[in-house]
Amino acid sequence: MKSTKSLYSYGFLLPAGIIFFIFFLLPTMVSFFFSMTRWTLTDWEFIGLDNFIMFFKESSLNIGFRNTFIYAVMTSGTKVVLGLLLAVLLTSSIRSKDFLRSVVFFPTLISTIAVGITFSYLMHPSRGLINTALAALGIQGPNWLGDPALAIYSVGLVDIWKGVGFATVIYIAGMMSIPADYYEAVDIDGGNAFRKFWHITLPLIRPAMNSVIILSFIGGLRTFDLVWTMTKGGPGFSSDLIASIIYKQYQGGFYGLSTAGNVILFVIVAVLAFPLYRFLTKREVDL
Amino acid sequence: MRKSGKIIAELFAILLTVILFIIPFYFILINSFKNSREASKMNLQWPNAFQILENYREVIQAQDYMLIRAFFNSAFITVASIIILVFVCAMAGFIMQRRKSKPLTIVHFLFLAGLMIPPAVVPTIWVLNGIGMFKTMAGLILIEVAINIPFAIILYSGFVATIPREIDEAALVDGAGSLNFFFRMILPLLKPVTSTIIVLTSVNVFNDFVNPLYFLPGAENATAQLTLYNFMSLYNTSYNLLFADVVLLTVPPLILFLIFNKRIVAGMTAGAVKG
């Protein structure tokens, strides 16, 4: 009897493997070398760790570390909590839940550029709708994108607005895979809604919550397009993220420095996101 | 008493959603109907003079019908990437699930790492240059495929686990070859997860700004998002035209959304959470 293994040809892995290798893995691997060079794409000169030293010394470059970290923690933290609250609301028995689900999810599908443009007008300091509305309540709205101390947080708020729907959908998917008899068991014991949430929902949506944490945290670390559309890293360098610095160095023709930025981002992801992922998945409870 | 409390809570939720999510869309739409003087007030007021056709015509005709070409380019890139992605990832995901071996765990790890690692930009340009694909549509398409491979393979291999192996055994008895078997039996069974991948990836690729910015610069190959980005400086005083452009670019995702709204959650349940 022939084995079914003859149907599972390793050759099936090749097309995906080759594309992934050439266009993703290979550039990642060579980036470690080119980050240590002065580089013109055709010519390179080995300069050791100079690019990295520059990154850590120059304040216009290293402001990106702080901002990237603040941005990733702020946006992912809020999405994890807010997405969960929304998901609880949108799986409850309210009548408008289908409508609300659609509305909350829709921003996920719009391009970041369109969202960025729209909110840079909504956040206009004097004429923008947000500050006009605040003024009607007697509150003097801030200069959302023009204040160096605030700009990065304003962009973060817009990121949350756009991305919370995605987190909500992952949570909803997780909640729908919890068997109904678990909740019935709590009913029989005379437990209330809060007990159901605390003892059934929360532990059993752990895998979904972990996906939300990891996806939004890594997404936050890598963000570029929203901050580029809304502030271009400004005012000054106050809202620059590592990814926008990588682009600026590329634009300036500093390819080695730009690639060093990439390697730094890679290391940050490896040091923060990989351990976080392992820590989270270890604590998952099986259904 | 409890019932009325519930209704009030629901009304509050609806009100909050309208303020936070509907108003921004209404703002874009209504301002794309105004003349530039009224639009510059940036408010939600009903226009005194509607200028719908003029605005949209001007945006479409701008820079020698740039927007139409950009739409066409983006649509082409999106469709081509998805076709390649679906075939290569369905095949790979199938094998990843059915065979278990040491080398495969390494391959699996590399694909997983692809979800997290930020792509190295300039080295990618260097590679594209080396194979003569920099600033070409083909180059960008393969980049989009490569970036979406990890997610698609994970969804596919998760879904293959739900397909019984008895099907494989029956095919073996019938004497099917591996290619024949895969394309006639397995690929059709993967349809639910394929449609999830199509929706999510097409939105991703169509809305992508970063990769075209790096890998497909230049006006003649402009994509939809790059055009919108350039219009931002071109129309920095004519918000009505800028918002008309935003509306036009939101139409394709909106259509996908209306068709596949239910599928998105269903597909997530099937794949993303378990994966």
Side-chain angles (χ1 to χ4, degrees), chain B residues 54-96:
Chain B
E54 295 92 319
N55 285 350
Y56 282 83
R57 194 187 298 135
E58 186 167 347
V59 168
I60 289 171
Q61 290 176 343
Q63 295 177 314
D64 197 18
Y65 292 94
M66 171 83 101
L67 195 66
I68 302 283
R69 267 181 297 147
F71 249 100
F72 180 79
N73 286 345
S74 284
F76 178 75
I77 291 164
T78 307
V79 172
S81 320
I82 283 171
I83 291 173
I84 299 172
L85 187 77
V86 163
F87 277 104
V88 304
C89 292
M91 287 164 74
F94 177 64
I95 301 301
M96 302 276 289

Side-chain angles (χ1 to χ4, degrees), chain B residues 103 110 113 154 199 201:
Chain B
L110 287 176
I154 284 167
V199 180
T201 321

Side-chain angles (χ1 to χ4, degrees), chain B residues 187-210:
Chain B
L187 197 56
L189 289 174
L190 296 174
K191 222 187 246 163
V193 66
T194 299
S195 59
T196 306
I197 289 171
I198 291 176
V199 180
L200 293 177
T201 321
S202 58
V203 171
N204 264 347
V205 176
F206 186 84
N207 283 343
D208 191 10
F209 167 69
V210 183

Side-chain angles (χ1 to χ4, degrees), chain A residues 241-254:
Chain A
L241 302 170
I242 295 178
S244 65
I245 290 169
I246 291 172
Y247 182 68
K248 283 180 178 174
Q249 300 310 320
Y250 159 74
Q251 260 189 327
F254 304 111

Side-chain angles (χ1 to χ4, degrees), chain A residues 2 12 15 51 56 102 105 145 155 172 179-180 207 214 239 247 266 277 283:
Chain A
K2 255 171 48 177
F12 282 17
N51 287 328
F56 289 106
S102 309
F105 185 68
L145 299 169
V155 178
I172 290 177
I214 288 291
S239 64
Y247 182 68
F266 175 94
Y277 175 77
R283 297 182 44 184

Side-chain angles (χ1 to χ4, degrees), chain A residues 16 18 23 58 62 78-79 100 217 226-227 246 255-256 261 277:
Chain A
I18 291 171
F23 296 96
E58 191 102 15
N62 66 32
T78 314
K79 284 176 196 171
L100 293 180
F217 185 63
L226 192 62
V227 79
I246 291 172
Y255 297 140
Y277 175 77

Side-chain angles (χ1 to χ4, degrees), chain B residues 31-272:
Chain B
N31 279 295
S32 76
F33 295 163
K34 296 178 181 176
N35 63 35
S36 75
R37 199 173 42 81
E38 282 187 70
S40 70
K41 289 178 192 150
M42 297 189 190
N43 58 28
L44 293 174
Q45 260 153 37
W46 199 247
N48 286 318
F50 275 94
Q51 230 183 249
I52 305 174
L53 278 179
E54 295 92 319
N55 285 350
Y56 282 83
R57 194 187 298 135
E58 186 167 347
V59 168
I60 289 171
Q61 290 176 343
Q63 295 177 314
D64 197 18
Y65 292 94
M66 171 83 101
L67 195 66
I68 302 283
R69 267 181 297 147
F71 249 100
F72 180 79
N73 286 345
S74 284
F76 178 75
I77 291 164
T78 307
V79 172
S81 320
I82 283 171
I83 291 173
I84 299 172
L85 187 77
V86 163
F87 277 104
V88 304
C89 292
M91 287 164 74
F94 177 64
I95 301 301
M96 302 276 289
Q97 182 62 47
R98 286 296 201 243
R99 290 196 95 146
K100 301 283 173 210
S101 67
K102 264 267 160 59
L104 265 190
T105 26
I106 298 170
V107 174
H108 188 81
F109 171 79
L110 287 176
F111 282 137
L112 260 185
L115 280 179
M116 303 192 177
I117 298 172
V121 184
V122 191
T124 309
I125 293 177
W126 179 75
V127 169
L128 286 172
N129 238 340
I131 53 179
M133 279 187 163
F134 185 43
K135 298 189 189 180
T136 66
M137 293 255 214
L140 183 61
I141 288 165
L142 289 169
I143 299 272
E144 299 285 4
V145 174
I147 287 172
N148 286 293
I149 276 177
F151 184 63
I153 285 188
I154 284 167
L155 283 196
Y156 271 124
S157 72
F159 193 83
V160 167
T162 66
I163 298 176
R165 279 171 185 262
E166 282 78 26
I167 292 179
D168 308 10
E169 281 152 22
L172 198 69
V173 174
D174 291 347
S178 59
L179 271 177
N180 207 358
F181 162 69
F182 177 78
F183 284 104
R184 314 240 341 234
M185 300 289 296
I186 298 297
L187 197 56
L189 289 174
L190 296 174
K191 222 187 246 163
V193 66
T194 299
S195 59
T196 306
I197 289 171
I198 291 176
V199 180
L200 293 177
T201 321
S202 58
V203 171
N204 264 347
V205 176
F206 186 84
N207 283 343
D208 191 10
F209 167 69
V210 183
N211 291 304
L213 181 72
Y214 276 117
F215 306 122
L216 198 61
E220 84 262 36
N221 284 328
T223 64
Q225 305 306 324
L226 277 186
T227 313
L228 178 59
Y229 178 73
N230 293 331
F231 277 7
M232 191 167 59
S233 44
L234 188 69
Y235 292 144
N236 63 359
T237 52
S238 321
Y239 306 137
N240 52 337
L241 300 182
L242 189 59
F243 288 127
D245 196 6
V246 170
V247 171
L248 287 175
L249 277 192
T250 308
V251 169
L254 178 66
I255 292 171
L256 263 176
F257 175 68
L258 293 176
I259 300 173
F260 290 105
N261 188 9
K262 287 256 155 61
R263 272 241 60 83
I264 294 169
V265 175
M268 288 282 192
T269 320

Side-chain angles (χ1 to χ4, degrees), chain A residues 216-235:
Chain A
S216 57
F217 185 63
I218 293 172
L221 290 177
R222 290 162 51 163
T223 299
F224 166 69
D225 39 8
L226 192 62
V227 79
W228 193 249
T229 319
M230 294 189 72
T231 66
K232 289 208 164 54

